[in-house]
Amino acid sequence: ATHPSSQVTTQNSKSDFLNTELTFSTFVVGKNSEFAHAACFNVARNPGADDYNPLYIFGPVGMGKTHLLNAAGNYIREQFPHLRITYISAERFLNGCVAALRHYQMDKFRQKYRENSDILLVDDVQYIGRGEAVQEEFFHTINNFIDRKKQVILASDRMPKDILGLEDRSRTRLERGLIADITMPDLETRIAILRYKAEKFGVRMPEDVVNHIARISKRSIRELEGNLKKVKIYSELQGLSIDYDLVKKILSQHESQSTISLEEIQKLVADHFKVKMTDLKSSTRAKPIVVPRQIAMYLIKKFLDRSLVD
């Protein structure tokens, strides 16, 4: 006879939709993600703890939120094979709920999540604010998990307070546990991620090439991986070895689109807010100048990898 826990593990592997390649060991941790990574790991080691339930991870698209969700799920599945895991996108939850309402099958829908699952992992939570009935069901589902000491981990590209159409009680419930943000990695972390992915894809690159790709890939980790794949495919199709000149040629259009100077950012902000450049760079703390100055600082830090001191 098969051991009960083995049956559960087999069932989970077929029904929880986890990507087995996305684990904690394949996640490159940087200053931008160390808190979110630590929070997910602690939850995975002790699912259902009150202080971390729900765990809410937020950050821009392509930063690794889905990776952390899957990593937590894969770790829990390995360490606690008796726990039943549900990994789903908020959009799929929404569509399933609408279909259940339409066909009068809400009891079956509720059973699927509230009775047949111990761990709930929900990606792209920003879509949950689209419908009142769905939001109500989502709210009660999360409440049900928390009341039963069952772990909920959520991921979104924005804070609960910034989700359009989200009711106050739903927002309060999402904010009740632990909120961890994940941002764009700095240049040093992007280089580490690129080295890891290059090794994974079997791509050998000199240091100047690694540094160049990491420097111009500033929008997301997906962009970083996309540029690496573009270089890999081009070099293979053309039968060329990867060097700095080749990569400059392949990614020249991307580089021209992504490169902007400090002065250009200052001018764009000054023109938008109709203030003088000299005022923007002065020490005045007048309100009409402070807001544009702070926005210019934010944009320079984000797109040019400059420190706030700079």
Side-chain angles (χ1 to χ4, degrees):
T2 308
H3 192 277
S5 64
S6 300
Q7 291 178 337
V8 174
T9 306
T10 304
Q11 181 190 359
N12 277 346
S13 64
K14 292 180 180 177
S15 63
D16 57 26
F17 300 105
L18 291 172
N19 184 335
T20 54
E21 293 185 3
L22 301 180
T23 65
F24 287 121
S25 63
T26 60
F27 187 88
V28 180
V29 183
K31 292 179 181 177
N32 66 304
S33 60
E34 57 188 358
F35 179 62
H37 176 273
C40 274
F41 187 63
N42 281 329
V43 161
R45 287 195 302 177
N46 187 25
D50 286 340
D51 292 342
Y52 293 83
N53 206 13
L55 171 60
Y56 188 98
I57 309 165
F58 81 96
V61 172
M63 294 299 165
K65 301 183 299 296
T66 297
H67 191 140
L68 286 177
L69 271 185
N70 278 270
N74 284 317
Y75 187 91
I76 292 170
R77 186 167 66 187
E78 181 182 331
Q79 299 296 319
F80 308 95
H82 62 285
L83 295 180
R84 299 160 299 174
I85 301 169
T86 296
Y87 173 85
I88 190 171
S89 69
E91 194 164 20
R92 206 164 89 231
F93 182 94
L94 186 152
N95 291 337
C97 185
V98 170
L101 284 167
R102 188 176 298 154
H103 297 100
Y104 305 99
Q105 294 180 336
M106 284 306 295
D107 287 343
K108 186 177 178 181
F109 180 84
R110 289 174 184 135
Q111 183 182 16
K112 176 181 177 182
Y113 293 102
R114 301 186 196 181
E115 297 179 27
N116 296 341
S117 184
D118 302 302
I119 305 291
L120 182 63
L121 311 174
V122 187
D123 210 349
D124 295 322
V125 172
Q126 65 271 11
Y127 294 116
I128 216 66
R130 288 181 177 176
E132 288 185 22
V134 175
Q135 202 175 135
E136 176 90 2
E137 191 58 36
F138 188 67
F139 171 79
H140 287 302
T141 298
I142 289 179
N143 271 348
N144 178 269
F145 270 79
I146 294 172
D147 290 343
R148 292 188 294 127
K149 305 292 184 184
K150 304 297 184 181
Q151 185 65 50
V152 178
I153 308 179
L154 310 165
S156 175
D157 65 4
R158 64 201 72 176
M159 287 278 282
K161 66 182 179 64
D162 297 323
I163 296 178
L164 294 175
L166 192 66
E167 296 178 357
D168 284 343
R169 66 172 180 170
S170 297
R171 177 183 52 78
T172 303
R173 172 52 83 192
L174 296 183
E175 293 174 341
R176 168 188 160 172
L178 179 67
I179 296 179
D181 71 322
I182 182 169
T183 58
M184 185 61 190
D186 57 20
L187 180 59
E188 183 180 349
T189 306
R190 295 204 301 274
I191 289 172
I193 293 171
L194 188 58
R195 283 176 181 152
Y196 168 76
K197 290 188 177 293
E199 184 178 346
K200 177 184 174 184
F201 297 144
V203 181
R204 298 184 66 181
M205 298 184 297
E207 279 301 299
D208 57 349
V209 168
V210 173
N211 292 336
H212 178 70
I213 296 176
R215 184 180 61 80
I216 66 172
S217 305
K218 300 176 181 178
R219 296 186 183 94
S220 70
I221 298 170
R222 285 182 197 167
E223 178 192 35
L224 188 73
E225 185 172 323
N227 283 337
L228 172 62
K229 288 180 176 177
K230 188 174 182 180
V231 169
K232 178 181 185 292
I233 293 170
Y234 186 94
S235 67
E236 288 176 349
L237 290 176
Q238 298 295 324
L240 300 170
S241 59
I242 298 173
D243 59 25
Y244 184 78
D245 290 336
L246 179 68
V247 172
K248 282 279 288 184
K249 176 185 175 183
I250 297 170
L251 301 179
S252 59
Q253 185 177 5
H254 177 92
E255 185 178 9
S256 65
Q257 289 174 345
S258 62
T259 302
I260 188 169
S261 70
L262 183 148
E263 290 74 20
E264 285 173 317
I265 290 177
Q266 290 174 336
K267 187 176 186 309
L268 282 168
V269 173
D271 290 347
H272 178 82
F273 287 97
K274 297 179 173 54
V275 298
K276 295 179 181 177
M277 284 274 283
T278 51
D279 290 337
L280 195 71
K281 293 189 281 186
S282 71
S283 58
T284 177
R285 292 183 114 17
K287 188 174 180 181
I289 304 299
V290 168
V291 171
R293 182 187 295 136
Q294 292 291 329
I295 290 174
M297 288 170 66
Y298 167 78
L299 293 172
I300 289 166
K301 181 178 185 297
K302 179 176 181 180
F303 291 103
L304 301 183
D305 284 323
R306 302 289 283 269
S307 70
L308 284 174
V309 176
D310 291 339

